[in-house]
């Protein structure tokens, strides 16, 4: 079945550092790929998504590119802020699926 | 701007007790979902409702039942709680299938002792 493997955390960074969180997937067909973010005490919210190969999703300075050849969707941000401290989830779904398959989540802490 | 509202936010149950988690959305979404979040496992789908009047099992449905009361509301029931159901439960909704954006509630932290 479909699955997502993401880099284990926790990750601790200083402000203005470069962040990358690796995500690889296994799926049949052409899934849509997502990054969701969960801030402390809140539910998940969509950070960015890509629906086909070579698409780049971007939002709030974060980027991820759908790489079908390496089955990857790595999340990057060039200069993190304290407010980026959160848990980040990589996820996928098939074209007509009602299920999101999530990775285990990566906890990121940014220190001032 | 309520979005997806879940109640309660916290609950402690004794083994064997029953309870219902409530969820309502005000975005006129067709689809609603219940997930559970466990450490190191991400979120797993318990049940979903693709549209009003339909419900389907997800990845981990055992021990749960759901009711899509109307387009806005989707409840999750634990008939006889077990310690293995200690988790954080999230309700979510979307306009269509999961490749459209899903909106999540703030979660219910449930402890079964």
């Amino acid at each position: 079945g479909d699955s997502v493997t993401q880099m284990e955390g926790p990750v601790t960074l200083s402000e203005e550092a470069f962040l990358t969180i690796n995500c690889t997937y296994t799926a049949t067909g052409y899934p849509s790929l997502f990054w969701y973010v969960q801030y402390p005490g809140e539910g998940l919210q969509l950070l960015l998504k890509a629906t086909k190969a070579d698409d780049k999703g971007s939002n709030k300075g974060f980027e991820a590119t759908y790489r079908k050849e390496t089955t990857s969707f790595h999340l990057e941000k060039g200069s993190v802020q304290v407010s980026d401290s959160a848990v980040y989830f990589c996820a996928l779904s098939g074209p007509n699926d009602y299920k999101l398959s999530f990775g285990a989540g990566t906890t990121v802490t940014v220190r001032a | 701007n309520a979005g997806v509202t879940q109640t309660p936010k916290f609950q402690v149950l004794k083994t064997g007790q029953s309870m219902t988690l409530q969820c309502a959305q005000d975005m006129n979404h067709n689809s609603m979902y219940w997930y559970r979040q466990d450490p190191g496992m991400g979120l797993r789908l318990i049940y979903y409702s693709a549209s009003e009047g339909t419900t389907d099992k997800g990845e981990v449905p055992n021990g749960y039942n759901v009711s899509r009361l109307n387009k806005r509301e989707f409840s999750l029931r634990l008939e006889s709680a077990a310690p293995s159901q200690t988790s954080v439960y999230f309700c979510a909704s979307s306009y269509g299938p999961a490749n459209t954006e899903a909106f999540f509630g703030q979660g219910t932290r449930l402890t079964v002792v």
Side-chain angles (χ1 to χ4, degrees), chain A residues 34-80:
Chain A
F34 308 84
W35 278 100
Y36 277 83
V37 60
Q38 183 180 27
Y39 298 106
E42 299 184 10
L44 281 72
Q45 57 185 271
L46 181 66
L47 181 59
L48 53 85
K49 74 175 191 179
T51 58
K52 62 183 187 294
D54 300 325
D55 268 2
K56 178 186 282 188
S58 61
N59 187 24
K60 298 182 180 180
F62 290 89
E63 293 184 341
T65 301
Y66 189 144
R67 301 284 188 200
K68 188 159 179 63
E69 64 276 12
T70 55
T71 61
S72 65
F73 192 56
H74 305 322
L75 181 69
E76 296 180 336
K77 185 173 184 181
S79 177
V80 294

Side-chain angles (χ1 to χ4, degrees), chain A residues 1 4 6-8 13-14 23 27 31-32 39 43 47 53 55 59 63 78-80 83-84 87-90 95 103:
Chain A
V4 173
Q6 69 179 96
M7 176 177 128
E8 290 187 18
L13 301 165
S14 298
C23 171
S32 293
Y39 298 106
L47 181 59
D55 268 2
N59 187 24
E63 293 184 341
S79 177
V80 294
S83 57
D84 294 324
V87 183
Y88 293 82
F89 293 92
C90 186

Side-chain angles (χ1 to χ4, degrees), chain A residues 90-107:
Chain A
C90 186
L92 69 80
S93 75
N96 294 302
D97 283 348
Y98 286 90
K99 171 189 170 184
L100 277 165
S101 295
F102 284 91
T106 302
T107 300

Side-chain angles (χ1 to χ4, degrees), chain B residues 20-89:
Chain B
T20 300
L21 281 65
Q22 307 286 354
C23 175
Q25 52 91 8
D26 62 0
M27 295 173 282
N28 200 35
H29 284 166
N30 295 311
S31 305
M32 297 186 73
Y33 313 82
W34 278 104
Y35 287 88
R36 59 179 287 172
Q37 182 182 24
D38 300 295
M41 301 187 73
L43 279 75
R44 292 178 292 167
L45 183 64
I46 304 170
Y47 271 94
Y48 68 95
S49 171
S51 60
E52 186 179 356
T54 69
T55 60
D56 284 285
K57 295 179 180 179
E59 191 179 352
V60 288
N62 291 345
Y64 305 95
N65 286 300
V66 291
S67 295
R68 183 75 182 265
L69 304 170
N70 48 54
K71 191 171 186 179
R72 291 187 62 249
E73 297 173 285
F74 188 42
S75 63
L76 177 72
R77 183 161 178 84
L78 287 70
E79 290 290 353
S80 178
S84 60
Q85 294 178 304
T86 294
S87 188
V88 181
Y89 291 85

